[in-house]
Amino acid sequence: MGETVETLRAYRFCLDPSTVQRQVLARYAGAARWGFNARLAVLVDGHRRYLQEVAYATYTDDVDEAGARALVKARGGVATMSLAEQSRELTAMIGDHRTRAAADADAEGAWLHTINRHALMAGMRNADRAWSNWQSSHRGERAGARVGYPRFKKKGRARDSFSLFHDVKRPGIRLTTYRRLRLPNIGEIRLHDSGKRLGRAIARGEALVQSVTVSRSGHRWYASVLVKQQQEQRGPSRRQRAAGAVGVDLGVKATAALSTGELVPNPRVKATVAARIAKTNRALARSQKGSNRRRRLVARLGRLHHLEALERARHTHTLTKRLATGWADVAVEDLHVAGMVRSARGTVEAPGRNVRAKAGLSRGILDVEPGEIRRQLDYKTSWYGSRLHVVDRWAPTSKTCSACGWVKPKLGLSERTFHCGDCDLVLDRDVNAARNIAALAAVPTEGGDAKARGGPAPEPPHGGDGAGPRKREDHPGGHRSGAIPNPSIFAPPRSKSAA
């Protein structure tokens, strides 16, 4: 038996609500949107008053902006209502709505008392989190892409979603049967899926329900039940140890090339629905705003996008589970997906070349979703006892021979077969790269394997004074510890003529 750790895990179910329940879920989503906007309005108002104080200080005290900000801070800043204070104000508003509804059942605008308070407060907390993310990103304290200024949510544009919580000692969120989920103040909702796995985990005392988040995607409603679960930390199974390690090279022609020589075909999900989406978009452009036909077309377009996302997720989950359960060690590259799909349009002074071709390549890369594959491998390998290795993104895995280690000076994207100039190896370029990735994972780098998620991306090496960032193909050694190590472990037996 391995060590048991406490983790948070979500179980996602597709709901099958009745027509009345759909209306209730939509009302709750609207209430959460109202809570988000109410809290964001307070934060935006405080920020505007702060900017006015800064501008006034620059005029009256004759200082620059940095000095004015310091003066405003020294004078106590600008008071903004805290979340706790707004929560007490919300309590008073709910009481007022209840009183008005009791006096007149048809009272206009009296609705807050009909909504579970947790849905309203979850929306307010989301606004606080969005504001905090923007501030930390603005100060340069947050890794990843720059977070924009928080915006108000609008019905029809923002995603319908709300969260509910309960007292774990008196659970209001629970499975009444394997096919019915009970939500506080809403009641039992039938499930399209089976809740057997979650129900049995709760019955064994291994899982404790914390909250539920209900959201709408396309024409479906989903419930994501967050549980605190006891998970056993286990090592690789006998079958995984026998399989050993596998290198995975993600691509567009094939979703993944494995170091075993297998090519996982690319389902090209986007191409299967592109014609129907384009036809619906053309009809939507010709429809009249506010008409029933436009409403039906919007619903149809959302359904098509949702079905596309479901099919892509199905292929991704199938691949990642197979990798996590089939081998003891899984090695992938540290791909910079945002840089790979960046537009080649250029500027007016320096226009880009082959912009349309680059746009098609970017769509193909996003259709494979390499970032999601890596994210799923990150947590699934910990579930199934395997280990994830992330190798250096600057290693020339495609240009290096996996049999002898010879590095090809130049390898174009159109060359799909690797020809070694030293040992005469002829191999699919993606399989050759996958074998090199597996060899790199066998030798730890200076700082160990890169993080699967989070943290700043490694900077590319620079060639000297005035030299810009180099491409991976231009990197001489690639691996931080030198050339790709021990390439012969995947080498096929060489014939006498090749020797």
Side-chain angles (χ1 to χ4, degrees):
M1 294 292 291
E3 181 186 357
T4 301
V5 296
E6 190 175 76
T7 60
L8 291 176
R9 184 171 179 176
Y11 290 81
R12 190 168 185 254
F13 304 106
C14 181
L15 302 179
D16 184 21
S18 64
T19 303
V20 175
Q21 287 175 334
R22 286 178 181 273
Q23 296 174 356
V24 174
L25 296 178
R27 282 200 302 113
Y28 267 68
R33 188 169 56 245
W34 177 90
F36 181 94
N37 291 339
R39 179 59 185 163
L40 184 59
V42 172
L43 297 173
V44 170
D45 178 67
H47 185 233
R48 287 176 179 171
R49 287 187 287 111
Y50 168 75
L51 294 179
Q52 290 174 356
E53 291 291 332
V54 171
Y56 184 73
T58 57
Y59 177 74
T60 58
D61 297 298
D62 195 19
V63 293
D64 58 1
E65 183 178 350
R69 290 177 182 272
L71 282 175
V72 173
K73 184 177 180 180
R75 293 168 182 170
V78 176
T80 303
M81 184 186 301
S82 67
L83 182 60
E85 294 172 342
Q86 194 165 4
S87 175
R88 289 192 290 269
E89 188 178 273
L90 175 64
T91 302
M93 292 178 62
I94 293 175
D96 177 64
H97 281 214
R98 182 177 290 108
T99 303
R100 289 165 51 194
D104 183 5
D106 298 328
E108 184 178 356
W111 58 273
L112 279 178
H113 64 287
T114 64
I115 304 295
N116 189 299
R117 180 188 176 87
H118 288 298
L120 301 169
M121 289 303 302
M124 292 184 176
R125 280 192 292 269
N126 288 339
D128 261 5
R129 189 178 301 113
W131 190 263
S132 176
N133 291 340
W134 168 72
Q135 286 186 322
S136 57
S137 178
H138 184 70
R139 292 192 295 261
E141 302 170 357
R142 179 184 173 89
R146 179 65 63 89
V147 177
Y149 195 82
R151 294 181 295 181
F152 292 98
K153 291 188 176 183
K154 182 181 178 181
K155 181 180 179 180
R157 296 189 64 88
R159 187 185 187 193
D160 289 338
S161 174
F162 65 91
S163 298
L164 297 175
F165 301 83
H166 70 157
D167 184 0
V168 295
K169 297 181 181 179
R170 294 182 300 171
I173 305 170
R174 62 180 184 270
L175 288 170
T176 55
T177 66
Y178 287 157
R179 296 302 297 270
R180 289 190 176 276
L181 176 67
R182 185 190 181 280
L183 301 179
N185 298 98
I186 296 178
E188 295 182 6
I189 300 181
R190 189 176 182 275
L191 304 180
H192 273 296
D193 310 316
S194 172
K196 184 176 294 186
R197 284 191 306 135
L198 175 59
R200 289 181 174 178
I202 294 174
R204 291 192 301 266
E206 298 175 357
L208 187 64
V209 177
Q210 303 293 307
S211 64
V212 61
T213 298
V214 181
S215 59
R216 186 178 67 86
S217 295
H219 60 298
R220 295 292 190 192
W221 284 91
Y222 293 90
S224 181
V225 182
L226 182 67
V227 301
K228 187 181 292 183
Q229 189 164 352
Q230 302 295 328
Q231 182 175 339
E232 180 185 354
Q233 297 293 97
R234 57 184 182 181
S237 64
R238 182 181 303 175
R239 183 172 65 90
Q240 288 174 317
R241 288 194 299 268
V246 64
V248 184
D249 181 68
L250 301 177
V252 176
K253 184 177 181 181
T255 298
L258 308 185
S259 56
T260 59
E262 180 186 355
L263 293 174
V264 179
N266 185 355
R268 302 189 183 277
V269 178
K270 184 173 287 294
T272 59
V273 295
R276 286 184 290 172
I277 289 178
K279 181 179 179 180
T280 308
N281 274 323
R282 288 193 297 267
L284 183 65
R286 295 190 297 266
S287 63
Q288 184 178 356
K289 290 186 178 181
S291 63
N292 289 331
R293 179 170 180 265
R294 186 179 184 88
R295 179 177 53 80
R296 290 193 298 269
L297 288 172
V298 169
R300 184 189 304 172
L301 187 62
R303 180 190 180 98
L304 289 174
H305 281 294
H306 177 56
L307 294 177
E308 175 190 348
L310 283 181
E311 185 67 13
R312 185 180 294 110
R314 185 178 70 84
H315 285 282
T316 302
H317 278 288
T318 302
L319 173 63
T320 53
K321 184 173 182 180
R322 181 190 168 201
L323 292 173
T325 58
W327 288 269
D329 295 274
V330 182
V332 296
E333 281 185 297
D334 180 28
L335 298 177
H336 182 32
V337 182
M340 294 167 62
V341 300
R342 191 168 292 145
S343 174
R345 187 176 302 159
T347 61
V348 177
E349 295 78 12
R353 296 179 301 174
N354 299 326
V355 178
R356 182 169 294 182
K358 176 61 174 61
L361 177 61
S362 298
R363 285 192 296 269
I365 294 173
L366 294 175
D367 195 26
V368 176
E369 54 181 10
E372 178 65 13
I373 291 176
R374 176 173 162 179
R375 186 191 73 86
Q376 292 184 15
L377 284 175
D378 184 24
Y379 69 84
K380 287 186 180 182
T381 48
S382 65
W383 285 1
Y384 300 114
S386 52
R387 290 176 298 179
L388 176 65
H389 303 269
V390 183
V391 304
D392 190 358
R393 69 175 58 164
W394 303 107
T397 53
S398 297
K399 294 168 56 179
T400 305
C401 177
S402 59
C404 67
W406 177 76
V407 180
K408 193 170 186 177
K410 187 175 182 181
L411 182 66
L413 289 176
S414 59
E415 299 181 53
R416 304 309 308 171
T417 304
F418 179 84
H419 297 268
C420 180
D422 188 20
C423 67
D424 297 329
L425 174 71
V426 179
L427 189 65
D428 184 277
R429 63 175 289 163
D430 296 331
V431 175
N432 178 68
R435 292 181 175 181
N436 286 327
I437 291 171
L440 282 171
V443 177
T445 59
E446 297 173 0
D449 290 333
K451 285 185 178 181
R453 289 189 72 193
E459 290 294 330
H462 291 265
D465 295 337
R470 308 166 90 176
K471 296 182 180 179
R472 183 174 67 171
E473 290 78 5
D474 301 329
H475 194 268
H479 196 252
R480 293 176 183 174
S481 58
I484 294 179
N486 194 19
S488 60
I489 59 175
F490 295 109
R494 296 172 63 177
S495 62
K496 292 182 179 179
S497 59

